Amino acid sequence: AATNDRVKELEEQLLDADETRRQLHNQIQELRGNVRVFARTRPPAPGGACAVKTIDVESMSITDRLGDDAVFSFDKCFGPEARQEDIFEDVSQLVQSALDGYKVCLFSYGQTGSGKTHTMLGAGEGDQRGIIPRAVQKVLEHAEQLSKKGYEYTMEASYVEIYNEQVRDLLKPGADHDEKHKIVSAPEGGCPTVSGVEREPVRSVDAAAGLVRRAAAARAVEA
């Protein structure tokens, strides 16, 4: 009986310590800024010149047609030599915040051909993987670790794109992309959702990777 009581006491201490860790982690994220803007420069085409230059980790310069430089500051800058894992390392702490129950949004913005898809999706299953497959793997691996501490996670995934101001469901086979989907606010303080889209359970890294590949293929065909 004494041993059981001691085990229960240690388990409670572990949960208390994890709650403290969660609060401190997300306080740090808030101190770093709830909204952060990162900039990444894609390598120039062979034989081409690059008008964007990385000055340091927080600033870039752009040379206009007259040869004048304009300097812009960001929370973090990544030059043409930056690897996919370098990008993910800086955003991975936000994935941890999502596991802790906080709302997190990551999105990539830029003109056509600027490297958004490469940054977010990447290619293959090796070093060229982008933020999305790496984030999914991190979520599932951490959920498995936390399950040993008594936490339970049920995860579902949907995969949509906004194309020409229209929300498209990329997991629905033969989807009619004229179908109207709306972004709706969830009641009781939950996360916003997209109405009428397919949601599939995610139980493993392989299953999640399969969904990413399916959606990426649908996006490539439709784009």
Side-chain angles (χ1 to χ4, degrees):
T3 301
N4 291 337
D5 291 342
R6 179 57 177 164
V7 169
K8 185 176 180 180
E9 179 184 351
L10 291 174
E11 288 177 343
E12 291 175 351
Q13 290 178 2
L14 180 62
L15 291 175
D16 290 341
D18 193 63
E19 177 63 20
T20 300
R21 185 232 26 104
R22 185 183 72 84
Q23 293 176 356
L24 291 175
H25 171 84
N26 289 286
Q27 284 177 8
I28 291 172
Q29 300 311 307
E30 290 176 1
L31 289 172
R32 294 178 65 185
N34 283 333
V35 178
R36 295 176 226 166
V37 181
F38 294 172
R40 184 183 192 183
T41 306
R42 67 167 296 168
C50 187
V52 181
K53 297 179 181 178
T54 304
I55 299 174
D56 54 38
V57 295
E58 294 183 347
S59 56
M60 289 181 170
S61 68
I62 299 178
T63 305
D64 64 20
R65 287 176 292 182
L66 299 177
D68 297 324
D69 291 336
V71 178
F72 299 89
S73 296
F74 301 90
D75 291 293
K76 187 69 176 285
C77 294
F78 298 93
E81 74 286 347
R83 302 169 300 172
Q84 295 285 68
E85 61 185 280
D86 297 330
I87 310 297
F88 184 69
E89 182 177 353
D90 266 274
V91 303
S92 62
Q93 297 304 311
L94 298 176
V95 178
Q96 179 62 52
S97 293
L99 279 169
D100 289 338
Y102 290 80
K103 299 175 184 177
V104 173
C105 174
L106 298 174
F107 72 92
S108 182
Y109 180 84
Q111 67 187 58
T112 300
S114 60
K116 302 183 298 297
T117 299
H118 177 68
T119 296
M120 297 303 289
L121 283 176
E125 298 181 1
D127 293 340
Q128 292 303 308
R129 290 178 304 150
I131 288 175
I132 291 174
R134 290 173 186 267
V136 169
Q137 181 174 353
K138 182 179 176 67
V139 166
L140 290 168
E141 288 177 347
H142 275 253
E144 184 176 353
Q145 293 172 8
L146 291 172
S147 67
K148 299 175 183 177
K149 298 180 181 180
Y151 293 93
E152 293 184 7
Y153 288 90
T154 299
M155 284 171 279
E156 293 180 333
S158 59
Y159 208 124
V160 302
E161 72 171 353
I162 299 177
Y163 185 78
N164 287 341
E165 300 184 6
Q166 184 176 343
V167 179
R168 294 178 162 189
D169 184 357
L170 298 181
L171 290 182
K172 192 171 183 180
D176 179 1
H177 291 308
D178 290 331
E179 182 180 350
K180 299 297 182 181
H181 299 289
K182 295 181 179 179
I183 300 174
V184 296
S185 298
E188 301 176 0
C191 292
T193 59
V194 179
S195 64
V197 298
E198 290 290 315
R199 299 183 183 277
E200 299 196 14
V202 178
R203 299 185 177 91
S204 69
V205 173
D206 289 341
L211 292 180
V212 171
R213 286 193 295 269
R214 275 176 51 196
R219 180 182 182 277
V221 169
E222 297 293 340

